[in-house]
Amino acid sequence: MNRKPIRVLIVDDSASVRQVLSTILSEDPGIEVMGTAADAFAAARRLQTELPDVMILDIEMPGMDGLTFLRKIMAQRPIPVIICSTLTEAGSKALFDALEAGAVDVLPKPRIDTRNALMETADRLRHAVRAAAQARLRPREARVPVEKKLTADVIMPPPVPGRVRHTTDRIVCIGISTGGTETLREVLQALPALCPGIAIVQHMPEKFTAAFAKRLNGICAMEIKEAEDGDELSAGRVLIAPGNHHMLLQRSGTQYRIAIKDGPHVSRHRPSVDVLFRSAAQYAGANALGLIMTGMGDDGARGLLEMRKAGARTLAQDEESCVVFGMPKEAIELGAAERIVKLARVPQEIMAWPQATLAGAGENARNA
C-alpha cells in the first residue's frame, strides 16, 4: 500500500535557506514540502488552515523568535518540530532550550560548501524528518527509502564466546536516538554519584555531544563528559560518544577503556549503537548491562542480541514511555531484550543490577 508523504512546513527568514531545505526534502519521494513561511506570524496563519506532519523552524527571525513560537505551538496545538539554526552549531544554550521547549530534534543549517557536506546534511535532514513524523506527538508511519546499510563487521569482528576475562567491574551501555536528550537527562539526574560506569551512544551531530555532556555534568551527581580515546570507564563516570565517531569498549588488564574510531556509518549511523554493543559483548560479556531506548530505526538491535548471547543483561524501554518506539521495538522482536522496562524504572534497574549480579554469582559459587 502507498502511504501518504510526510508533509513539511519550513519556517525561516532566509529565502535561500528555504530554497535549499525545500530542494533537499523534495528529492525524497516520501516527503512533501507543503509550504514555507518567512516568519512566525506567516507560519501561524498557515497553521490555522492546515497542520503539517513536521515543521522545520529557525530560531533567529524578525518579530517573534523561533523558541517563543515553539513554546506557543507546544502549549496550544503540539506538532513535531525540528529546529534548524546556526545558533545550535556549537552546542549553545539555544540547543537545550529548544529541546526542553519540545523540539523533536535540533540540526545545524545546511552545509553547501562541498558536495559531500551537502549530501551528509541532506541525509541527516531527511532522516530527522522521518523520525519526527513518527514521534508520539503525532504517530505516523513514514516510508523509509532503501539504503545500503552496513553492520558492525566493518568496524570490528563478531565477539568470540568464552573470551571475556574475569573482572568484578560492572558497566552499563546505553543506545538511544530520537527523543533521547531529555530521556537521558531524566535517567542520569536520578542516579547517585557512585553509579556503575556508563557508556552512551546518542545519535547527535558533531559538536553537539560535547556541549550536551557538559550540560548534563552540571546538573547530575556523577562525572559526565564527551568520550576521548583512552578514557577509563569506571564507577561514577558517564562517557558519551562524540558525534561523527564510533565509540568502542576495550579492556586494559581489568580496566575498561574507550576507543574512538572513524569508519563508515554502521546501521546508517556514526556513532553506532551496534558498534558499542558489539564491543561490550566482546570485552565485557556478563559484566555488562545493555539498554536500548527511544529512537527511530534498528541501530543497536543486533548488538544487543550479541550482548545477550555473551551473557550480558539486556533491557529495552517500553513503548508507552518512548518518543519513538523504533529501536526498542526492533530489539524486542529480535529477542535481544530480556525484559521491557518503563522509563521511570531505568535508574533503579541500573543501580540494582550490579548487586543482583554479584548475589547471583555468590549463590552459584555456594551451589558449586
Side-chain angles (χ1 to χ4, degrees):
M1 295 179 61
N2 292 326
R3 296 188 177 94
K4 293 181 179 179
I6 301 166
R7 303 174 73 246
V8 179
L9 175 63
I10 299 170
V11 186
D12 196 297
D13 63 330
S14 167
S16 60
V17 170
R18 294 197 301 272
Q19 180 60 49
V20 169
L21 293 177
S22 296
T23 300
I24 288 173
L25 295 178
S26 296
E27 290 176 352
D28 189 321
I31 299 175
E32 173 191 335
V33 178
M34 59 171 273
T36 65
D39 57 46
F41 301 105
R45 289 192 294 271
R46 186 64 182 264
L47 294 178
Q48 290 176 353
T49 59
E50 57 180 337
L51 290 177
D53 299 312
V54 177
M55 179 188 295
I56 297 177
L57 179 63
D58 189 18
I59 291 181
E60 293 183 297
M61 295 188 298
M64 182 187 299
D65 67 271
L67 289 179
T68 300
F69 187 41
L70 173 63
R71 293 186 181 102
K72 289 180 179 293
I73 292 171
M74 292 300 137
Q76 297 172 13
R77 199 166 187 179
I79 57 175
V81 174
I82 298 170
I83 293 292
C84 186
S85 170
T86 56
L87 291 183
T88 65
E89 289 184 1
S92 68
K93 183 176 181 294
L95 163 68
F96 306 111
D97 288 343
L99 293 169
E100 289 173 352
V104 174
D105 206 345
V106 179
L107 303 176
K109 284 291 179 71
R111 288 182 56 198
I112 58 175
D113 49 342
T114 67
R115 177 174 174 78
N116 286 341
L118 179 59
M119 289 178 63
E120 278 199 20
T121 296
D123 288 343
R124 172 77 174 119
L125 178 64
R126 290 190 286 258
H127 180 86
V129 167
R130 293 193 295 266
Q134 295 187 36
R136 294 184 67 83
L137 291 173
R138 283 177 66 89
R140 178 192 176 105
E141 291 294 327
R143 184 173 65 183
V144 180
V146 176
E147 304 172 24
K148 183 178 181 181
K149 184 166 66 174
L150 302 176
T151 71
D153 290 346
V154 298
I155 303 297
M156 64 183 298
V160 178
R163 293 278 290 274
V164 178
R165 289 171 290 172
H166 176 72
T167 177
T168 57
D169 290 341
R170 302 292 188 267
I171 54 99
V172 178
C173 293
I174 297 176
I176 192 165
S177 187
T178 311
T181 51
E182 288 303 292
T183 298
L184 282 176
R185 178 194 58 77
E186 184 174 338
V187 169
L188 296 178
Q189 276 193 304
L191 292 174
L194 196 58
C195 64
I198 302 175
I200 299 172
V201 165
Q202 157 78 64
H203 294 154
M204 294 183 83
E206 196 169 12
K207 299 181 181 179
F208 284 27
T209 44
F212 178 54
K214 183 177 180 181
R215 179 217 181 200
L216 290 175
N217 188 59
I219 60 176
C220 299
M222 71 291 290
E223 178 196 4
I224 303 175
K225 69 184 291 286
E226 182 185 63
E228 298 178 80
D229 193 59
D231 274 346
E232 181 181 343
L233 182 63
S234 55
R237 199 173 209 200
V238 178
L239 299 175
I240 299 176
N244 204 35
H245 298 278
H246 291 302
M247 181 173 76
L248 292 76
L249 186 72
Q250 293 186 338
R251 285 278 290 277
S252 177
T254 59
Q255 301 289 317
Y256 293 109
R257 294 196 176 275
I258 293 298
I260 303 300
K261 296 185 179 294
D262 293 325
H265 287 68
V266 172
S267 300
R268 302 192 183 101
H269 293 283
R270 187 177 61 219
S272 166
V273 182
D274 272 328
V275 171
L276 173 63
F277 283 179
R278 170 169 288 188
S279 68
Q282 180 164 320
Y283 292 106
N287 298 318
L289 168 68
L291 173 61
I292 193 162
M293 304 185 74
T294 178
M296 177 183 174
D298 63 358
D299 186 27
R302 287 174 294 276
L304 193 69
L305 181 61
E306 291 177 349
M307 288 186 68
R308 184 173 186 181
K309 289 180 176 179
R313 303 299 302 275
T314 57
L315 305 175
Q317 185 181 353
D318 74 319
E319 181 175 7
E320 184 179 359
S321 64
C322 281
V323 175
V324 177
F325 188 57
M327 289 160 50
K329 180 175 182 287
E330 294 291 336
I332 292 166
E333 291 182 349
L334 198 61
E338 289 181 295
R339 290 192 296 117
I340 303 169
V341 297
K342 295 181 179 297
L343 174 59
R345 282 286 309 169
V346 170
Q348 294 95 314
E349 293 285 347
I350 289 175
M351 293 308 300
W353 167 71
Q355 287 77 16
T357 304
L358 291 173
E363 182 65 26
N364 290 337
R366 286 191 295 272
N367 293 333

